[in-house]
């Protein structure tokens, strides 16, 4: 879940959206709310949406990386150079 300061930022400009769910999905949402520490079903749905946004951003970055030119080889020497840079910083 988000820290309190992030939740407060989101709640400053809320809109309302009503959704219809079959009883089985509503029961599932209610169970998730009760069992995972969400205060309301809206909090649970907002968390799902945020996670989906994160997943889509990650997917975009992975696709972008896949389209980019190949970089240097990440072999033992590469990691030793990284370690040296960190130790020198």
């Amino acid at each position: 879940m988000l820290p309190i300061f992030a939740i407060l930022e989101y709640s400053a400009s809320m809109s309302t959206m009503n959704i219809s769910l079959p009883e089985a999905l509503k029961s599932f949402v209610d169970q998730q709310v009760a069992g995972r520490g969400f205060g309301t079903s809206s909090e649970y749905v907002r968390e799902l949406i945020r996670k989906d946004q994160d997943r889509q951003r990650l997917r975009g970055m992975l696709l972008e990386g896949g389209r980019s030119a190949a970089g240097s080889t990440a072999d033992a020497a590469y990691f030793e150079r990284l370690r040296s840079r960190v130790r020198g910083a």
Side-chain angles (χ1 to χ4, degrees):
M1 276 205 265
L2 289 175
I4 295 297
F5 67 86
I7 292 171
L8 294 175
E9 180 180 326
Y10 272 100
S11 63
S13 59
M14 294 282 189
S15 298
T16 299
M17 175 184 280
N18 295 312
I19 61 170
S20 298
L21 298 173
E23 187 57 40
L25 288 180
K26 183 187 177 308
S27 294
F28 178 80
V29 169
D30 292 342
Q31 289 170 357
Q32 297 305 301
V33 169
R36 294 178 54 195
F38 294 99
T40 65
S41 57
S42 291
E43 287 179 14
Y44 175 67
V45 171
R46 282 192 295 271
E47 182 70 11
L48 291 177
I49 292 169
R50 287 184 202 105
K51 286 182 179 183
D52 192 45
Q53 288 173 326
D54 290 345
R55 185 191 58 79
Q56 288 182 27
R57 277 191 290 273
L58 177 58
R59 185 176 190 278
M61 289 188 283
L62 290 171
L63 290 171
E64 182 181 335
R67 289 188 297 266
S68 67
S72 60
T73 303
D75 56 9
Y78 170 82
F79 287 105
E80 188 52 44
R81 286 191 302 274
L82 284 177
R83 286 185 200 97
S84 296
R85 282 177 43 197
V86 169
R87 287 182 200 118

